[in-house]
Amino acid sequence: MKIVSTPENLQVLYEDNHLIVVNKRVGDLVQGDKTGDTPLPDLVKAYLKKKYIKPGDVFLGVVHRLDRPTSGLVVFARTSKALERMNALFSLRETQKTYWAIVQQPPPQPEATLVHYLKRNPQNNTSKAYIKAVPDSKLAQLSYTTLRILDRYTVLEIALHTGRHHQIRAQMAAIGCPIKGDLKYGFPRSNPDGGIHLHARQLQFIHPVSKEPLTIIAPPPDEVLWNLVC
């Protein structure tokens, strides 16, 4: 049964006076859209307001985003200073992001670095990966290693070196390995929960205020295939 996130059941991975990190469930919106569904930032604000009995509005800055069908950690800033500094960390690529992905076809090599040029199509909200630069394309680079081989699927660990629209989804599809459930990028069947098997597993960065190194890990969804990985 699909669990819908609420202020009461948020999976909080890390929290202090400056940051809060949440394990996003499949289907949670990081940014509001035309569906009108309550976005995750509003749920986090409600959680903070109730926990700390805060009068008035609660400040919460969105540092980065995850696609609605994916799961995993999302960082929010609780102060404007933390937001400004976290934005700088992400902009300067001073964070290390690790994802897990489940694909059906094993990749051509058990580990590799992929370099493509991604061009976004706003009409259907997709990105296409090209081997060479084309007009309006952006360089996209990631590295993957094979984490585990299951009976019918392969689990990959992916390190992002750039942050492009649908980057992992587009680049994996480009080498014949669309992510399980990702109809938009060529997987033949949808997942029952409407999500895809892509999970933001780990984030490493220097805390914007304390300057302490942080490593935050998000457990994957409680689901048959993911349970075989952990």
Side-chain angles (χ1 to χ4, degrees):
M1 184 179 70
K2 182 178 177 179
I3 300 175
V4 177
S5 289
T6 67
E8 290 71 35
N9 69 4
L10 285 179
Q11 301 175 84
V12 178
L13 303 172
Y14 177 88
E15 181 180 348
D16 65 15
N17 291 333
H18 311 282
L19 302 173
I20 180 168
V21 184
V22 173
N23 192 7
K24 171 181 134 36
R25 293 182 171 93
V26 167
D28 288 346
L29 274 170
V30 178
Q31 186 175 21
D33 65 8
K34 60 186 178 184
T35 64
D37 294 341
T38 303
L40 189 56
D42 287 2
L43 301 179
V44 177
K45 285 181 182 180
Y47 159 86
L48 293 169
K49 187 177 180 68
K50 182 177 180 180
K51 180 175 181 178
Y52 297 104
I53 319 174
K54 282 184 169 285
D57 293 335
V58 174
F59 178 88
L60 193 75
V62 178
V63 176
H64 65 119
R65 293 172 174 82
L66 282 183
D67 298 337
R68 186 168 194 174
T70 66
S71 59
L73 59 83
V74 183
V75 182
F76 298 99
R78 295 188 57 195
T79 65
S80 57
K81 178 169 71 173
L83 177 61
E84 181 181 351
R85 293 180 180 180
M86 287 303 297
N87 283 340
L89 286 179
F90 274 78
S91 177
L92 296 170
R93 308 291 173 211
E94 293 178 358
T95 61
Q96 291 179 285
K97 305 177 200 173
T98 303
Y99 289 75
W100 282 358
I102 297 180
V103 299
Q104 190 160 31
Q105 287 294 116
Q109 300 170 285
E111 59 181 73
T113 295
L114 303 182
V115 179
H116 291 96
Y117 292 86
L118 295 193
K119 183 173 182 178
R120 185 171 182 175
N121 182 344
Q123 274 69 47
N124 60 8
N125 192 35
T126 61
S127 288
K128 185 172 182 180
Y130 295 87
I131 297 299
K132 296 182 178 180
V134 299
D136 300 319
S137 64
K138 294 181 178 179
L139 177 68
Q141 184 173 329
L142 62 78
S143 299
Y144 71 82
T145 58
T146 299
L147 191 64
R148 187 162 301 180
I149 297 175
L150 307 176
D151 286 344
R152 295 172 54 204
Y153 298 98
T154 300
V155 187
L156 305 175
E157 184 167 274
I158 297 167
L160 269 184
H161 306 310
T162 55
R164 308 302 184 197
H165 175 259
H166 289 185
Q167 180 178 335
I168 296 174
R169 300 167 67 181
Q171 286 195 273
M172 297 315 300
I175 63 168
C177 299
I179 294 166
K180 183 180 182 298
D182 199 354
L183 297 177
K184 186 169 278 192
Y185 286 92
F187 198 84
R189 298 177 305 281
S190 61
N191 287 341
D193 62 2
I196 63 175
H197 276 75
L198 178 62
H199 179 70
R201 170 64 172 173
Q202 179 177 289
L203 184 66
Q204 294 177 286
F205 61 97
I206 302 298
H207 191 286
V209 179
S210 71
K211 304 304 179 185
E212 293 294 320
L214 282 181
T215 298
I216 302 172
I217 296 174
D222 181 10
E223 180 271 343
V224 175
L225 283 181
W226 285 127
N227 289 343
L228 295 175
V229 182
C230 292

